[in-house]
Amino acid sequence: MKSTVRLAEIEARQKRWCDAIAPWFKTDHQLWLVADALRRVDEYLLIQENDQLQRPFPSTREAHAHVERHTHLCDVSALWVLGAYELVRVLDERINGNSNKPSSSVVKQIKRRFERVRMPLAKLEKAKKASAPSDTGRAWPAFHPQEGVRWLLGQETVSRMSLSTALLEALALTAPSRPAKRRPNGS
């Protein structure tokens, strides 16, 4: 039963991804390709996390394979964060010229959330602008039954799922508006 519920959540999340990236298809195909690749990796990770949750705790004999699967999930999740950060950075740069838009500050906050995890993952140092006082400059991976892969940054954790949700929000906020259709009478 738990697996069916989780799979329904994954399908709903994929629909949300498709809705968030669809406006980019015609206006910026390269951005759409990157976002779609992140969508596919997000789906892969969610399915793998679900699979990990369905497995019984391994016997000593199977422990090595269990650790390998967990490590793989953490590694791919870290790479997802690095790629997703670049997309958020591009969105922030594009909207930066229009800083009086309310979405500008929201996208900037999302970028800071990504930086907080990205800096320790990529540079092995604390994020300069986005870190909390307790951050150590290391992002220790962990696995949570509801949140999947997450990182311990000092006294707080940040999940890949929460970053994925934030990226969806940034894509929606910065989506190009579709031109209004002209009426037959020219108005």
Side-chain angles (χ1 to χ4, degrees), residues 22-152:
W24 295 100
F25 184 76
K26 288 186 178 178
T27 59
D28 190 335
H29 196 69
Q30 184 64 38
L31 189 143
W32 178 84
L33 286 170
V34 170
D36 190 54
L38 290 167
R39 175 196 63 79
R40 283 182 274 120
V41 175
D42 184 70
E43 179 182 35
Y44 167 80
L45 288 167
L46 291 171
I47 290 168
Q48 295 303 310
E49 289 168 353
N50 185 59
D51 184 50
Q52 189 84 338
L53 287 172
Q54 301 309 311
R55 295 175 186 267
F57 195 76
S59 65
T60 307
R61 213 171 171 194
E62 300 164 335
H64 179 72
H66 177 80
V67 169
E68 282 295 315
R69 281 190 302 274
H70 178 77
T71 301
H72 179 72
L73 273 174
C74 293
D75 293 346
V76 175
S77 292
L79 293 172
W80 184 92
V81 168
L82 300 179
Y85 168 78
E86 290 304 319
L87 183 56
V88 171
R89 186 185 59 74
V90 167
L91 295 173
D92 181 51
E93 282 178 3
R94 289 186 181 182
I95 203 169
N96 199 20
N98 204 346
S99 59
N100 59 348
K101 275 189 161 182
S103 56
S104 176
S105 64
V106 173
V107 172
K108 199 160 286 311
Q109 289 172 350
I110 291 168
K111 181 180 162 191
R112 297 285 182 247
R113 287 178 63 192
F114 269 90
E115 286 174 349
R116 187 168 176 216
V117 178
R118 178 196 156 274
M119 289 293 288
L121 287 175
K123 296 188 172 191
L124 304 176
E125 62 187 45
K126 189 173 168 176
K128 291 167 182 61
K129 298 176 186 173
S131 62
S134 66
D135 285 5
T136 62
R138 298 290 182 263
W140 301 103
F143 189 79
H144 188 272
Q146 280 80 41
E147 298 175 345
V149 174
R150 60 186 186 168
W151 293 272
L152 178 62

